[in-house]
Amino acid sequence: MGKFYITTPIYYVNDDPHIGHAYTTIMADVLARYHRTAGDEVLFLTGTDEHGQKVEQAAKARGVSPQAHCDEMVLRFQAQWQSLNISHDDFIRTTEARHRRVVQEILQRLWDAGEIYADDYEGWYCVPDERFWTEKDLVEGKCPECGREVVRISEKNYFFRMGRYQEWLIQHIQTHPRFIRPGTRRNEVLGFLKNPLNDLCISRPKARLSWGVPLPFDGAYVCYVWFDALINYITAPGYLQDDGEFNRWWPASCHLIGKDIVTTHCVYWPTMLKAIGLPVPDTVMPHGWWLVDEAKMSKSLGNVVRPLDLADRYGVDAFRYFLVREMVLGLDSSFSESAFVQRYNAELANDLGNLLNRTVVMADRYVGGVVPQVEAGHAVPGPLQKQALKTLDRVRHALEDLNPAGILDAIWGLVREANRFAEVQAPWNLAKHPHKRKALEATIYGLLETMRHLAVLLFPVMPGKAREIWEQVGAEGALEDQRFQDLKSWGGLRAGLRVRAAGPVFPRVDGTLIEAEAEPDEQDTREHRMSEERKDRISFQEFQKLDLRVARIEAAERVEGTDRLLKLQVNLGDAQRQLVAGVAQHYEPDALVGAQIVVVANLAPATIRGVASEGMLLAASGDGHLTLLRPDSEVPDGTAVS
Ligand code: MSP
């Protein structure tokens, strides 16, 4: 059993949680959960960065103390993580006593060891912004942020001797290819280190900023917020506590961060650790940036994507799935709701949702809703069994590689294989021949067992939906207790268990939901106009409610006592249906057998002349003439008509 310690950045407590924060935290959660499933001991840490000027100013503006302000603001992050089903083991706030104590102790030790020294700091200062800038930051000699005049100031400050670790750091990065990943970021950092590395100013005079950790050796100063914040990664696992916990967890396995904070994590932090006398983390992994329609998110552009809006609309699990699936490791991604809807319908509703649905529906229909017994060595589910084991291997490799999107890729290989398997085995055909009973049972078993594997494999990404899958196939035990180890032996789903079909886990969603996003007023008038102008039209949304599908007529006979009605048995690919249709005056029953037609598959059942009818066929009729609608060429039974 290994151990895995993963962290997210600690977020500025002032910020409104948005999709960027959610992404890092969900990715960390997914990796943490996969490691738990792999049987590792896991420490997953997140938290908030609560010191600094912005917090001080925001608190002042609201007329509350900075601490009271933080205590209030932090709740939004905590609530957000709870809603997104984040399974962190610890939540650290930099204003907690446990953290301030560690920061002060480290500062004192580094001061005593001569790693920190006092010197005059010279720079350009923007008085209204209360901020220092270097010569090259300035824009036409003015403050790059507000455009106002800057003044040259020289003041005493404290510096960490970062520069002395430059050669060591370059060496470390070069000899530890896993330290900064992906390689493009590693090269960027090495590029940055080609220039001389300066010492780091780690203090701010209290006269300008008081909301911080006081320097233990000079009460007139507080600690620079980054020097304070980075230390959270060692505070939480218990640095400077005597209980031995810290040595169990440190060095961290992975600091997951965004590309905006690479220098602090790949230069400041390792040199700080070196000076403190601690090993550096195994991996720092910066990911790309979420953009919205190719632009950076910003409050002023009004394009900030709030995670909970999406989670409310499409479900937390679909949202988690999309974020993990969509972003290529290290690259930027542009968020668009229509890409979300597309993936949702294609991958969740179709690939995965339909697979589950057809599996449990067929289990109900053909084997009485009970997990069938398969004779040892029965060859039928062979390809599935092989694919399931291969998938487990691929998942483990991708996990080793810290690549959740790669994990999903591997899992979808199994989903597709299972769908193919169902098509090839065609249980609906096997069911017609009593001597193929064994093959039918083995097929259903193979699909059910695959769904059990998929529930375990998907749990870290979609904990809620995976549980629904687990329950529908009737699997025993708590899903969260399942380990990769348990998937090594195929056949864990015990014969005799009850399958519990419960409807689609991912009902299809409609792209027009996006339109419903428009401002309410605008929407109202638009709808009003539409209804005035086109009273008799239906919306795309309404149309999409129709489940139109190609079906094959397998048997046809007249309904006794009528001369208009035929009773048809049709095959919908994964289901058989009986329809009653008023076509007897136009078609001889025998002439229809084998024909493909189009049916409305989700019509409420009705009884017509005492005969049950579960659907309706489509025909063109007029002037006493009637002709059935048929596909122009053969397609698989059950194909959707859109
Ligand atoms: N407080 C510092 C981090 C200190 S860690 C010792 C900080 N906080 S932050 O609130 O600004 O969060 C930055 C992090 O949020 C990024 O590194 C990234 O993980 C995430 N993201 C914020 N916006 C993002 C996007 N638009 N896209 C992807 N992730 C981004 O920096």
Side-chain angles (χ1 to χ4, degrees), residues 362-507:
M362 290 192 295
D364 262 349
R365 180 157 304 147
Y366 301 131
V367 295
V370 173
V371 177
Q373 181 82 48
V374 179
E375 282 162 26
H378 201 289
V380 170
L384 270 191
Q385 177 173 359
K386 235 164 84 195
Q387 184 76 24
L389 294 180
K390 201 163 102 193
T391 302
L392 183 58
D393 264 359
R394 285 186 61 198
V395 166
R396 286 177 170 218
H397 274 116
L399 181 59
E400 182 92 342
D401 219 24
L402 300 169
N403 179 5
I407 293 179
L408 287 177
D409 215 33
I411 295 175
W412 250 251
L414 180 57
V415 171
R416 279 190 215 104
E417 182 64 35
N419 273 317
R420 225 178 351 251
F421 176 81
E423 291 301 326
V424 172
Q425 289 299 121
W428 44 95
N429 288 334
L430 296 175
K432 289 183 210 150
H433 309 286
H435 67 283
K436 294 187 177 163
R437 181 80 193 160
K438 286 278 166 250
L440 175 66
E441 288 176 352
T443 299
I444 303 285
Y445 184 85
L447 290 170
L448 287 168
E449 172 68 353
T450 302
M451 289 319 303
R452 188 183 72 92
H453 278 239
L454 286 171
V456 177
L457 292 172
L458 285 170
F459 177 71
V461 181
M462 299 189 279
K465 293 296 175 183
R467 183 162 288 123
E468 288 179 33
I469 296 175
W470 182 257
E471 282 166 5
Q472 290 209 22
V473 299
E476 294 169 297
L479 176 55
E480 58 274 20
D481 295 341
Q482 306 302 309
R483 298 286 170 260
F484 285 157
Q485 196 64 23
D486 306 320
L487 296 184
K488 274 195 171 157
S489 50
W490 172 266
L493 194 64
R494 202 165 50 76
L497 291 170
R498 210 75 250 124
V499 174
R500 280 170 289 212
V505 274
F506 296 104

Side-chain angles (χ1 to χ4, degrees), residues 553 566 568 579 581-584 586-588 591-593 595-599 616-621 625-631:
I553 300 177
L566 287 188
L568 308 174
L579 316 183
V583 297
H586 307 273
Y587 289 94
E588 277 305 315
L592 286 177
V593 175
Q596 283 196 317
I597 54 168
V598 178
V599 302
M616 181 170 90
L617 55 71
L618 297 187
S621 63
H625 183 72
L626 181 145
T627 182
L628 290 173
L629 293 190
R630 302 186 192 201

Side-chain angles (χ1 to χ4, degrees), residues 10-12 18 20 24 49 226 233 258 260-261 287 289-290 297:
I10 46 171
Y11 304 106
Y12 289 128
H18 59 61
T24 318
D49 193 350
W226 271 102
Y233 299 135
D260 51 325
I261 52 179
H287 59 70
W289 211 240
W290 278 99
M297 265 183 293

Side-chain angles (χ1 to χ4, degrees), residues 125 157 240 244 252 269 283 285 322 359 384 398 418 434 449 520 564 572-573 585 602:
Y125 191 65
N157 261 309
L240 298 181
W269 182 225
T283 296
M285 197 160 72
F322 177 76
T359 299
L384 270 191
E449 172 68 353
R564 224 175 49 81
L572 276 175
Q585 287 166 331
N602 60 342

Side-chain angles (χ1 to χ4, degrees), residues 8-13 15 18-25 48-49 77 225-226 229-233 256-261 264-265 287-291 296-297 327:
T8 72
I10 46 171
Y11 304 106
Y12 289 128
V13 73
D15 286 356
H18 59 61
I19 191 169
H21 307 122
Y23 176 69
T24 318
T25 311
T48 40
D49 193 350
F77 276 97
V225 61
W226 271 102
L230 287 160
I231 288 173
N232 91 85
Y233 299 135
L256 198 60
I257 59 170
K259 67 175 187 180
D260 51 325
I261 52 179
T264 50
H265 282 78
H287 59 70
W289 211 240
W290 278 99
L291 307 170
K296 211 172 155 168
M297 265 183 293
M327 186 175 267

